[in-house]
Amino acid sequence: MQQDPPRRSNRERSQSTREKLIAAARRLFIDKTYAETGTPEIVAAAGLTRGALYHHFADKQALFQAVAEREAQAVAAEIERRADTLHDPLEALIEGGNAFLAAMAAPGRTRLLLLDGPAVLGRAAMDEIDNRHGNRTLREGLAAAIETGGIRPLPLEALTVLLAAVYDRAALAQETGADPQDYRRTIAGMIESLGAAAGLSRRATLPARR
């Protein structure tokens, strides 16, 4: 005798509805941009009602923020997946940056996170999202490289902000057709130069041989 499938809990149904809305919104924001997408289109694409949308999100902007958060999570997960395979912190830092550029090559992601995100949510809100995800992984990678002497011990927060801006600019260039390998090699060279500077600093502090 065939058994009926187990009934989903209210929490599971609620999470499923939320996921459908985020997925539908992401597709439309990429295909049409945020400004050109209306909430009726989103709920129709998700196969839901406007009531369901407003039960989970205050408005379209709040739904966009959920999409941006999800995209930033995906980027951070790819960085961690690639960097965690390496034991040397300097190599892991460089490979994590390469993983960032590869993850940002997903169709529509660069526009969502680097162009539409600040325009829709404001720079401060996007910085908060970045600091929970991509910038967090970068900060952790830099901290590990500094701690082990792999790169010069510069102020961590300033170094994170500036290197993140370099990676963002590279992602934007990649989006417009620039060769990503040129940017990967250049940024790797910049990071390696910090490692070389660290080596020079260590040698400078060693006592002179008699």
Side-chain angles (χ1 to χ4, degrees):
M1 182 176 178
Q2 187 176 6
Q3 293 183 338
D4 293 333
R7 296 182 63 184
R8 293 189 301 172
S9 67
N10 289 336
R11 181 176 180 179
E12 289 172 331
R13 288 194 295 271
S14 178
Q15 184 62 26
S16 176
T17 298
R18 180 181 173 86
E19 293 297 324
K20 288 178 182 178
L21 288 165
I22 291 173
R26 182 190 183 280
R27 289 193 301 271
L28 287 166
F29 291 155
I30 288 174
D31 292 343
K32 300 185 60 179
T33 76
Y34 173 85
E36 296 298 320
T37 300
T39 54
E41 294 173 278
I42 295 171
V43 296
L48 298 167
T49 65
R50 292 189 72 183
L53 188 155
Y54 290 115
H55 175 76
H56 290 276
F57 301 100
D59 50 26
K60 186 175 74 165
Q61 185 185 57
L63 178 54
F64 180 89
Q65 182 164 350
V67 171
E69 188 91 35
R70 185 65 56 83
E71 292 299 296
Q73 285 176 341
V75 172
E78 182 61 18
I79 292 170
E80 291 173 330
R81 185 187 71 80
R82 296 265 292 273
D84 287 350
T85 63
L86 299 171
H87 297 293
D88 180 74
L90 184 58
E91 291 181 7
L93 180 61
I94 292 171
E95 185 59 27
N98 291 340
F100 168 81
L101 291 177
M104 291 297 284
R109 183 172 279 164
T110 293
R111 193 185 73 217
L112 277 173
L113 292 179
L114 301 185
L115 300 177
D116 290 353
V120 174
L121 302 176
R123 184 68 266 171
M126 278 306 304
D127 284 345
E128 289 180 5
I129 291 174
D130 288 340
N131 286 332
R132 285 194 290 272
H133 303 294
N135 285 3
R136 172 186 56 78
T137 64
L138 178 57
R139 187 180 297 105
E140 291 171 356
L142 287 167
I146 289 171
E147 183 179 354
T148 58
I151 63 173
R152 185 178 176 185
L154 295 168
L156 180 59
E157 192 57 34
L159 192 55
T160 301
V161 169
L162 292 174
L163 192 52
V166 169
Y167 276 116
D168 286 351
R169 186 64 187 85
L172 288 167
Q174 176 180 265
E175 179 78 359
T176 57
D179 184 351
Q181 291 301 326
D182 288 346
Y183 285 86
R184 293 182 185 190
R185 286 195 296 268
T186 300
I187 298 173
M190 293 168 60
I191 294 172
E192 287 167 352
S193 70
L194 292 174
L200 289 172
S201 297
R202 285 198 301 274
R203 287 195 291 274
T205 59
L206 291 173
R209 293 184 178 180
R210 297 181 181 277

